[in-house]
């Protein structure tokens, strides 16, 4: 078993998060100045091996962008997500797994949304 954590903060990397700030790294403020958007993102996780061929990972994370009023109202200012999975590895290069994901977003215009997803996967490495 092991715990995992990641923290990143700074300006100008929202486009790497796809939905964050509408994919913008900067926005024009009311005075016509280009402002690079500050963002903070963090994730914590726990990985546990139940047996040699069974593993589970649980993780939670969120990000926040400091909003600029000139950004489109649909721009995401923040999101939270949780993920949990169960993976079976019967062979060295093959695994099968199922995963549950929950997410919540917060937009500049005050709207928010929530989504749940269950997905499964099969992976073989040649």
């Amino acid at each position: 078993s092991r715990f995992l954590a990641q923290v990143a903060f700074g300006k100008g990397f929202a486009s790497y998060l796809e939905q964050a700030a509408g994919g913008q790294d900067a926005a024009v403020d009311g005075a016509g100045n280009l402002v690079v958007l500050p963002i903070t993102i963090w994730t914590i996780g726990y990985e546990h091996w139940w047996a040699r061929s069974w593993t589970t990972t649980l993780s939670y994370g969120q990000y926040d962008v400091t909003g600029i009023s000139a950004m489109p109202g649909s721009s995401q200012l923040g999101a939270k997500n949780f993920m949990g999975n169960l993976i079976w590895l019967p062979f060295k290069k093959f695994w099968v797994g199922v995963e549950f994901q929950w997410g919540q977003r917060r937009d500049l215009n005050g709207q928010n949304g929530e989504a749940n997803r269950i997905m499964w996967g099969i992976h073989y490495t040649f």
Side-chain angles (χ1 to χ4, degrees), residues 3-117:
F3 288 97
L4 308 161
Q6 176 181 343
V7 176
F9 56 91
K11 295 181 178 182
F13 68 94
S15 62
Y16 292 104
L17 298 176
E18 212 170 296
Q19 303 93 350
Q24 300 178 120
D25 290 327
V28 178
D29 67 11
N33 299 313
L34 184 65
V35 178
V36 181
L37 301 174
I39 188 166
T40 302
I41 182 170
W42 61 270
T43 304
I44 56 172
Y46 175 71
E47 179 185 69
H48 179 73
W49 286 83
W50 301 98
R52 188 174 186 186
S53 60
W54 289 93
T55 183
T56 295
T57 301
L58 302 172
S59 71
Y60 176 83
Q62 65 183 56
Y63 73 83
D64 294 292
V65 178
T66 303
I68 302 296
S69 60
M71 292 169 45
S74 61
S75 298
Q76 285 190 14
L77 291 183
K80 301 174 184 179
N81 61 59
F82 168 79
M83 181 275 303
N85 64 29
L86 178 63
I87 298 175
W88 176 48
L89 300 97
F91 310 108
K92 184 177 181 179
K93 296 182 175 189
F94 178 79
W95 61 257
V96 176
V98 62
E99 180 172 277
F100 170 76
Q101 294 180 355
W102 168 85
Q104 183 181 63
R105 72 169 211 291
R106 180 174 39 86
D107 295 346
L108 179 62
N109 60 11
Q111 292 185 342
N112 56 47
E114 193 170 303
N116 297 294
R117 175 168 55 182

